[in-house]
Amino acid sequence: MIAYLSEMLSYPFMVRALTVGALVSLCAALLGASLVLKRYSMIGDGLSHVGFGALAVASALHLAPLAVAVPVVVLAAFLLLRLSESGRLKGDAATAVFSTGALAIGIVVASMSTGMNAELNSYLFGSILAVSMTDVAVSVALSAVVLVLYLFFYEKLFAVTFDETFARATGMKTEWYHTLLAVLTAIVVVLGMRMLGALLISSLIVFPALTAMRLFGNYRSVIIGAVVFSLCGFLVGMGISFWYGTPAGASIVVVDLGLFCVCSLAARIRGR
Amino acid sequence: MEAFCIQCNHVTLSYENQVVVSDLSFTVREGEYLCIIGENGTGKSTLMKGLLGLKKPASGSIVLGTGIRRSQIGYVPQQTPVQRDFPASVWEVVLSGCLNSRGLRPGFGAKEKALAEEKMDLLGIRDLKKKSFRNLSGGQRQRVLLARSLCAAKKLILLDEPTAGLDPLATEEFYHLLLDLNRELKITVVMVSHAIQEALGHADHILYLSQTSYFYGTTQAYLDSDAADQFLNRCRGGK
């Protein structure tokens, strides 16, 4: 086991992937509870498609992928919330329009320039090899930002998630916290996309929170539980991926799915 | 005459360019127990939003009494499906009512925790402290939300159909609880209500909204009015 681990860690790309992946898993789990409870689960999915479009355009124009994708996805998150709040497009419709639209633009741009090359393929399905040293630096910095903001506003985010009207009535600027949540989600989605791929990243946000909610009845435990499940799912998934040569993203999601099923069953048996 | 808590002067509220409440004037005095009743679509919930400051009146003004800040109104909402299966402990929910006194500072201090404990004792839900909100009965949940609103409020609480979905016994209990708070702690209560009998039995003032007009006055004056005759007859007929 130890030998196996040390072999895994002897590859620099594995170390990079583990660093970025663990940080992203942590952040995704923190945000997941709020997003699931606010019925925003599909926002992560929508944003990841926008991220794919942005990455495709960036690679066609030979720009740094993260430098393009992060601002674009943050902007998309912002617009998505505005649209669904102003009621011109209802929540899920807005998400559908955004995600498919951006995906289509990305595919068209990619096919006009380089074609659907390996790099784009890795954005769709994820690749641990896609994580460069720059990505590590950016991921560490942005994850730290997400973590600090989340912890600083923990109580407020709880209040806004639990009861928005009450929060507004007692003088909280709820739009501001929605925006914060959307921006943090956008950052996590873009960071996680490199590893899990656009198609799977939203599971990193949704699964750990859902799993923790089966088992725990108070918010703090749900958050801590989600973080633990997320990290376990990530590490075990990476191990499986390394050992059997399966794609990292899909392996992680399969482990997350397994955890979810086991915990749902446990909750059922316990007779909650 | 007591000081007032809320004063509505010729208030008109509209919703998507449709006027739902027009030219409404009334004054809620300190220590009153006011129930807002009326048929569906007469603007009760919109008026509640106006009182909470979540909706600006199209014309007229809503003035709060001296010493009451907008953020110090306690509010008990209609329950939403999101809340019904929300994984939060009673303690976390009650404590979240103290946020308005924290400003931007993260966490809660000893002062807020003591306040939350005090309100839980007051409503007899201390033994539920560690329980999950989603595992409570409807009546217990409303007590928890009431405790939370009391953490935020000093003198005034607004309730929007708090007993919707509760069984008759729990409804009766909840109205009693409010009456106790109102009588013993001099907390002003303003409530939108569907439970007409309970509202008339407990409130000292009634605001009755209809499509064309409104009535505001003491419960007794309301019962003697023609508007009450018609409305109550329709309620009975409907049931």
Side-chain angles (χ1 to χ4, degrees):
Chain A
M1 185 71 191
I2 305 261
Y4 168 60
L5 274 178
S6 68
E7 188 198 339
M8 208 164 131
L9 292 175
S10 67
Y11 297 98
F13 74 85
M14 277 307 274
V15 177
R16 289 203 296 270
L18 285 172
T19 316
V20 173
L23 285 171
V24 172
S25 304
L26 175 73
C27 295
L30 290 179
L31 297 174
S34 285
L35 293 173
V36 169
L37 288 165
K38 281 202 82 69
R39 308 292 191 259
Y40 284 165
S41 296
M42 286 319 282
I43 274 193
D45 197 51
L47 291 180
S48 68
H49 290 63
V50 175
F52 173 80
L55 289 178
V57 172
S59 109
L61 300 174
H62 303 291
L63 297 170
L66 281 183
V68 175
V70 170
V72 169
V73 176
V74 166
L75 186 70
F78 203 74
L79 287 176
L80 215 52
L81 280 187
R82 276 294 123 80
L83 274 179
S84 54
E85 264 163 25
S86 70
R88 265 179 292 174
L89 277 174
K90 290 286 166 246
D92 56 342
T95 313
V97 167
F98 261 69
S99 64
T100 49
L103 194 60
I105 292 172
I107 292 170
V108 168
V109 170
S111 67
M112 282 189 336
S113 54
T114 50
M116 292 297 282
N117 57 20
E119 195 180 357
L120 285 181
N121 204 34
S122 82
Y123 292 152
L124 270 183
F125 295 103
S127 160
I128 46 168
L129 298 171
V131 183
S132 70
M133 216 43 216
T134 330
D135 287 346
V136 175
V138 174
S139 302
V140 170
L142 287 179
S143 303
V145 170
V146 172
L147 202 62
V148 167
L149 284 176
Y150 184 85
L151 291 178
F152 190 80
F153 291 114
Y154 170 81
E155 287 83 9
K156 278 91 178 170
L157 286 171
F158 168 78
V160 172
T161 310
F162 181 71
D163 188 345
E164 199 178 321
T165 320
F166 181 85
R168 272 210 296 161
T170 51
M172 278 174 65
K173 304 210 166 9
T174 52
E175 294 88 11
W176 196 93
Y177 291 101
H178 277 164
T179 310
L180 177 71
L181 208 53
V183 169
L184 297 183
T185 308
I187 293 174
V188 168
V189 162
V190 177
L191 294 182
M193 261 182 71
R194 312 299 300 280
M195 295 200 39
L196 270 81
L199 295 177
L200 295 173
I201 173 68
S202 62
S203 61
L204 202 61
I205 292 173
V206 175
F207 269 119
L210 275 181
T211 308
M213 275 180 226
R214 299 296 128 195
L215 294 188
F216 303 110
N218 74 71
Y219 198 68
R220 186 179 296 252
S221 305
V222 166
I223 300 291
I224 295 171
V227 168
V228 171
F229 286 130
S230 185
L231 288 174
C232 287
F234 170 72
L235 292 174
V236 174
M238 284 297 275
I240 291 173
S241 157
F242 183 73
W243 199 244
Y244 296 104
T246 50
S251 313
I252 293 165
V253 177
V254 168
V255 174
D256 280 342
L257 178 66
L259 277 173
F260 175 72
C261 292
V262 169
C263 290
S264 297
L265 201 67
R268 182 77 41 101
I269 290 169
R270 210 174 54 180
R272 184 177 70 73
Chain B
M1 187 165 280
E2 308 244 358
F4 71 90
C5 260
I6 305 178
Q7 197 166 46
C8 284
N9 303 312
H10 304 287
V11 168
T12 296
L13 290 161
S14 52
Y15 186 69
E16 286 177 358
N17 297 325
Q18 231 182 344
V19 173
V20 278
V21 175
S22 74
D23 198 24
L24 181 65
S25 299
F26 66 95
T27 304
V28 182
R29 282 171 234 292
E30 271 179 23
E32 258 183 46
Y33 186 152
L34 169 71
C35 275
I36 304 173
I37 57 174
E39 280 155 76
N40 288 334
T42 49
K44 299 189 298 289
S45 291
T46 311
L47 175 62
M48 184 56 80
K49 285 209 174 95
L51 296 179
L52 284 167
L54 302 180
K55 191 161 194 59
K56 277 217 163 59
S59 67
S61 65
I62 298 172
V63 185
L64 294 181
T66 41
I68 303 175
R69 289 220 314 271
R70 192 54 86 187
S71 63
Q72 288 175 341
I73 300 176
Y75 174 56
V76 180
Q78 295 184 23
Q79 278 183 39
T80 61
V82 172
Q83 284 169 8
R84 270 193 278 272
D85 74 350
F86 201 97
S89 66
V90 167
W91 176 239
E92 287 172 312
V93 173
V94 175
L95 204 51
S96 75
C98 302
L99 270 175
N100 59 347
S101 58
R102 286 295 290 179
L104 269 183
R105 289 172 298 161
F108 291 105
K111 205 179 93 206
E112 285 85 16
K113 286 179 182 161
L115 182 67
E117 298 252 359
E118 180 202 321
K119 301 305 177 197
M120 285 176 34
D121 282 342
L122 183 66
L123 298 185
I125 50 171
R126 174 176 276 275
D127 50 328
L128 301 178
K129 185 174 171 180
K130 290 221 162 74
K131 282 219 170 174
S132 182
F133 189 71
R134 63 184 175 192
N135 297 339
L136 302 181
S137 71
Q140 288 172 326
R141 262 184 224 147
Q142 283 313 57
R143 275 175 189 248
V144 172
L145 295 182
L146 187 58
R148 177 185 65 160
S149 78
L150 289 174
C151 285
K154 299 276 180 296
K155 298 175 182 164
L156 170 65
I157 50 177
L158 302 183
L159 306 94
D160 193 357
E161 290 181 21
T163 56
L166 294 192
D167 61 67
L169 193 67
T171 304
E172 176 66 24
E173 260 178 30
F174 192 76
Y175 274 81
H176 248 319
L177 190 64
L178 283 175
L179 193 61
D180 286 347
L181 293 176
N182 174 253
R183 293 234 172 105
E184 282 158 33
L185 300 171
K186 305 283 171 236
I187 291 173
T188 311
V189 176
V190 176
M191 164 159 57
V192 170
S193 177
H194 256 163
I196 308 299
Q197 292 311 324
E198 280 77 9
L200 295 176
H202 294 88
D204 49 39
H205 283 72
I206 294 289
L207 172 63
Y208 165 71
L209 297 176
S210 77
Q211 302 288 358
T212 49
S213 63
Y214 69 91
F215 173 92
Y216 173 75
T218 60
T219 307
Q220 195 52 51
Y222 175 69
L223 286 172
D224 294 340
S225 72
D226 293 343
D229 269 0
Q230 292 175 10
F231 179 56
L232 295 178
N233 270 331
R234 270 204 299 280
C235 286
R236 281 189 210 104
K239 276 169 192 167

